[in-house]
Amino acid sequence: MTEKISEYIIIGAGLSGLTSAYYLNKSGITDFKILESRDRVGGRIVTRDGIDFGATWFQNHHEEVIALLDALGVEKYHQYNEGKSVLVYSTMAPEHYFENDPDTPSAYRMKGNSQALIHALAKPLSEKIKLNTNVIGIHETENGIKVETDKETFFAKKVIVTIPPLIATRISFSPELPPEVNETMKKTHTWMSNAIKVGLTFKTPFWRAKNFSGMVIGQVGAVTELYDHNDAENSHFALMGFVNEGLRDVSEENRKQRILDYLSKYLGAEVLDYLTYEEKDWSQDKHTSCETIKSIYMSPSYGNPVFAKSFMSGKLRFSGAETSPIHGGYMDGAIYSGINTVKKFLG
């Protein structure tokens, strides 16, 4: 029996994988499959109740993001930052209030949340995406590459691995990858893998009425960062931010109470009148994190040169935010590497 060999198999339906597929399609190549271990597309871009629990912001210098949004017709708008912001820098001193420079443009968000970009990329590819499909082995064969999953086996001429390098070490490669590649994969920090995000929705944006920007920067306390997270139309009112990782080890109930107490202290008791409250602890997401979670307090190093090489006789390449030499760890890096990897294959 002759196995059906696809031209390409893309492992991972996150931003980088979907961008690779988009660029293949744009280049006239339609014979590819995308294998995704989750029950959804998007990877570390996930939106619930109008709140981005993963990738959210981008800046003017993130040209790949802006170009892709323009090509797909997804609009952008500035992060709200008018009014007083709060800096909590000591348990021994009162909070400090500051205002952002109105002449300095704030970061951008996507209209319809970050999921708008994922939906725009994935919509024309729905028949090519296989969800709930976990890759366990990648093996070079005489005709190409065999990709083993927990469900079935696929064959391709070329494979692009877009999942985080540390997560990709769970895959059995034969022939084995060079030792320096394996070591680099193990040492590459996975963006978001240690983050806890919190999101709250409200009937009204009470903080704006009180001349607060919604920004709270906490160098001490339950929340390290908080931001206004209203939608572009100002019809959905929310606050979103990052939780102090020290609260990972307390009970869910205790953590929630400490977060609410902290935010109500600095923004007002109206915080307690939330409509919805939700957390996302990425360390508990097996597709992103691992048991040996390690927090990074300095910017991790991404874009190691080993990820620019090809393997298995030129048939296997790596892509993703952590592999990108440009804006590694950002959406821009994921998009850049997704496009650049395909370009290398196409020559």
Side-chain angles (χ1 to χ4, degrees):
M1 185 175 103
T2 304
E3 299 287 354
K4 169 72 170 71
I5 301 179
S6 300
E7 186 72 23
Y8 288 86
I9 284 179
I10 299 168
I11 297 171
L15 180 54
S16 191
L18 292 175
T19 300
S20 285
Y22 166 80
Y23 196 80
L24 283 172
N25 234 0
K26 192 177 172 185
S27 302
I29 298 168
T30 58
D31 184 15
F32 59 84
K33 290 185 178 69
I34 307 171
L35 308 181
E36 169 56 51
S37 60
R38 288 180 167 92
D39 60 1
R40 60 172 181 81
V41 297
R44 286 165 285 174
I45 292 178
V46 57
T47 305
R48 292 197 291 261
D49 287 326
I51 295 172
D52 289 315
F53 285 98
T56 306
W57 301 279
F58 57 100
Q59 307 271 359
N60 272 324
H61 61 274
H62 291 146
E63 296 175 1
E64 299 289 350
V65 178
I66 292 171
L68 186 57
L69 292 176
D70 288 345
L72 294 169
V74 177
E75 295 179 45
K76 65 184 184 296
Y77 67 106
H78 281 292
Q79 167 70 37
Y80 183 82
N81 67 354
E82 296 175 23
K84 293 184 296 182
S85 296
V86 185
L87 171 63
V88 184
Y89 62 92
S90 170
T91 56
M92 306 294 288
E95 64 274 22
H96 172 73
Y97 297 101
F98 65 97
E99 295 204 17
N100 292 290
D101 183 350
D103 295 325
T104 303
S106 61
Y108 288 113
R109 290 177 53 205
M110 296 175 204
K111 190 173 181 179
N113 295 94
S114 299
Q115 68 179 357
L117 171 57
I118 295 300
H119 288 169
L121 286 169
K123 189 175 180 181
L125 306 172
S126 58
E127 293 180 3
K128 298 180 181 295
I129 302 171
K130 284 189 166 290
L131 300 176
N132 300 301
T133 303
N134 190 39
V135 173
I136 56 177
I138 297 176
H139 313 286
E140 186 177 9
T141 68
E142 196 176 321
N143 299 321
I145 294 184
K146 179 171 75 170
V147 179
E148 282 185 277
T149 76
D150 54 354
K151 293 184 176 177
E152 56 188 307
T153 300
F154 301 89
F155 294 85
K157 293 178 182 176
K158 296 157 191 165
V159 169
I160 303 174
V161 178
T162 76
I163 61 179
L166 185 56
I167 303 301
T169 61
R170 298 171 184 169
I171 298 171
S172 171
F173 293 88
S174 65
E176 290 184 3
L177 297 169
E180 67 269 20
V181 179
N182 251 321
E183 283 306 305
T184 301
M185 290 168 72
K186 289 175 184 175
K187 291 177 181 176
T188 301
H189 176 259
T190 304
W191 172 80
M192 283 298 287
S193 63
N194 54 291
I196 310 172
K197 268 195 164 185
V198 63
L200 302 92
T201 63
F202 300 91
K203 287 181 183 176
T204 64
F206 67 87
W207 56 96
R208 292 192 182 186
K210 297 168 74 173
N211 195 35
F212 280 117
S213 68
M215 181 191 293
V216 178
I217 304 299
Q219 295 177 349
V220 293
V223 176
T224 57
E225 297 176 46
L226 190 82
Y227 302 96
D228 179 295
H229 205 64
N230 290 8
D231 61 7
E233 295 79 18
N234 279 316
S235 59
H236 181 270
F237 313 118
L239 293 168
M240 177 274 284
F242 293 86
V243 176
N244 188 321
E245 290 178 51
L247 296 185
R248 176 171 283 123
D249 300 326
V250 305
S251 71
E252 190 175 330
E253 187 179 333
N254 181 260
R255 183 171 56 247
K256 179 179 179 179
Q257 190 59 54
R258 286 163 75 168
I259 290 168
L260 291 174
D261 288 347
Y262 185 86
L263 296 182
S264 59
K265 178 179 179 180
Y266 297 113
L267 294 179
E270 297 95 331
V271 165
L272 304 177
D273 294 327
Y274 61 86
L275 295 175
T276 63
Y277 174 101
E278 190 172 355
E279 299 172 10
K280 168 71 173 171
D281 184 349
W282 284 93
S283 76
Q284 303 303 306
D285 188 323
K286 66 179 182 180
H287 306 284
T288 295
S289 199
C290 56
E291 291 177 5
T292 54
I293 182 68
K294 184 179 179 184
S295 298
I296 299 289
Y297 295 102
M298 295 176 67
S299 295
S301 176
Y302 291 132
N304 191 293
V306 301
F307 296 125
K309 299 176 182 178
S310 66
F311 305 93
M312 296 188 180
S313 308
K315 297 188 283 282
L316 174 73
R317 287 189 177 275
F318 289 92
S319 175
E322 288 80 8
T323 72
S324 178
I326 295 175
H327 299 147
Y330 291 89
M331 287 189 281
D332 204 63
I335 294 168
Y336 172 85
S337 67
I339 294 171
N340 198 46
T341 302
V342 172
K343 284 182 175 177
K344 286 180 177 178
F345 268 134
L346 297 179

